[in-house]
Amino acid sequence: MSLARPVSLVAEGLSCIRDDRVLFSDLAFQVTNRQVLLLEGRNGSGKTSLLRILCGFREPDAGEVRWCGEPISDVQYRIDMAYVGHLEGIKKELTVLENLHVALALAQAGACSIGAALARVQLAGFDDVPAQALSAGQKRRLSLARLLITHNALWILDEPFTALDRQGIALIEQLMAEHCDQGGMIVLTSHHELNLPTVDVQRIRLA
Ligand SMILES: Nc1ncnc2c1ncn2[C@@H]1O[C@H](COP(=O)(O)OP(=O)(O)OP(=O)(O)O)[C@@H](O)[C@H]1O
């Protein structure tokens, strides 16, 4: 399946309330192929809460999210969407290679082989290392390798630059640009200034 298939993520009238505090209300946006949506805002403003709603992990207090015109509870959304959160989706007791085989078994295969993905994120030679023995930045790189080996039109990334060195930040920006160039789309939160000059980046700042 090609990443060029027309896809859209549309949110309308979204509200989220936590502990009687309105984090956001009546939020609306649309993201399509080749676009990035960057969620900005101070600590506690609701960025992760919004991502969790977009992933379908949490119901909004009002409003709805649709993927290609269908509710995100639809099975196609589970196939098309990949989420990398703070915990990176890594099983710490499994090796690097085992983690990637599990990820591949649970998703559609992407264009990149496991070996090529590990080389791309500079984890070649770490195949048999248990994930718990990786540094924080290496765990983040493993979660990026996971994105490369599976086929997902939509990447949802929570603070993807956390723990990465300067070279790692440049790498993820390059991977993001390539994903959009191939027709994919990305929603992310970040406190880091994005350097994606060739990509259409929309921004939403939560108060
Ligand atoms: N599981 C939870 N139960 C109750 N309140 C929560 C829960 N998770 C988050 N909150 C509250 O919701 C608010 C928004 O949190 P959220 O994690 O969405 O913010 P954020 O913008 O992602 O912050 P940061 O930049 O620090 O990651 C905070 O006040 C937080 O205390």
Side-chain angles (χ1 to χ4, degrees):
M1 199 184 289
S2 162
L3 283 179
R5 174 174 65 101
V7 286
S8 62
L9 182 71
V10 175
E12 284 174 351
L14 280 191
S15 299
C16 179
I17 301 168
R18 290 211 116 144
D19 296 332
D20 296 332
R21 196 163 73 87
V22 178
L23 295 178
F24 49 84
S25 65
D26 207 20
L27 193 65
F29 57 82
Q30 173 164 357
V31 197
T32 60
N33 300 74
R34 302 176 188 277
Q35 291 185 319
V36 167
L37 173 62
L38 172 62
L39 305 176
E40 300 173 300
R42 59 177 171 72
N43 292 139
S45 57
K47 302 180 296 297
T48 297
S49 302
L50 175 54
L51 284 194
R52 293 183 63 78
I53 289 171
L54 297 182
C55 289
F57 299 155
R58 181 183 164 82
E59 287 289 317
D61 290 282
E64 62 174 356
V65 185
R66 301 181 81 80
W67 175 247
C68 303
E70 301 295 331
I72 57 171
S73 53
D74 197 272
V75 70
Q76 188 61 45
Y77 188 62
R78 304 287 139 208
I79 296 169
D80 289 336
M81 185 269 288
Y83 170 66
V84 177
H86 290 169
L87 300 177
E88 3 241 4
I90 292 170
K91 308 262 178 295
K92 60 182 185 340
E93 64 283 1
L94 298 185
T95 66
V96 165
L97 207 54
E98 287 167 343
N99 264 285
L100 294 180
H101 279 298
V102 169
L104 205 48
L106 296 173
Q108 270 191 303
C112 201
S113 68
I114 287 180
L118 286 176
R120 189 78 202 273
V121 302
Q122 299 195 328
L123 283 181
F126 285 83
D127 308 38
D128 297 326
V129 175
Q132 61 197 353
L134 297 176
S135 73
Q138 287 172 326
K139 285 189 190 116
R140 184 60 51 177
R141 283 166 184 265
L142 177 55
S143 70
L144 295 179
R146 198 161 58 85
L147 289 176
L148 294 180
I149 61 168
T150 60
H151 179 99
N152 306 98
L154 170 62
W155 291 357
I156 297 184
L157 312 175
D158 200 355
E159 298 288 350
F161 303 108
T162 303
L164 287 175
D165 57 22
R166 215 188 287 182
Q167 188 262 355
I169 289 172
L171 171 67
I172 186 168
E173 285 175 336
Q174 198 179 348
L175 297 177
M176 288 167 68
E178 285 173 15
H179 182 63
C180 291
D181 202 41
Q182 290 159 11
M185 70 169 84
I186 301 167
V187 178
L188 79 153
T189 67
S190 180
H191 293 288
H192 168 83
E193 191 48 50
L194 264 191
N195 182 22
L196 292 175
T198 61
V199 180
D200 176 5
V201 180
Q202 300 181 54
R203 290 163 190 265
I204 291 180
R205 175 163 284 276
L206 299 180

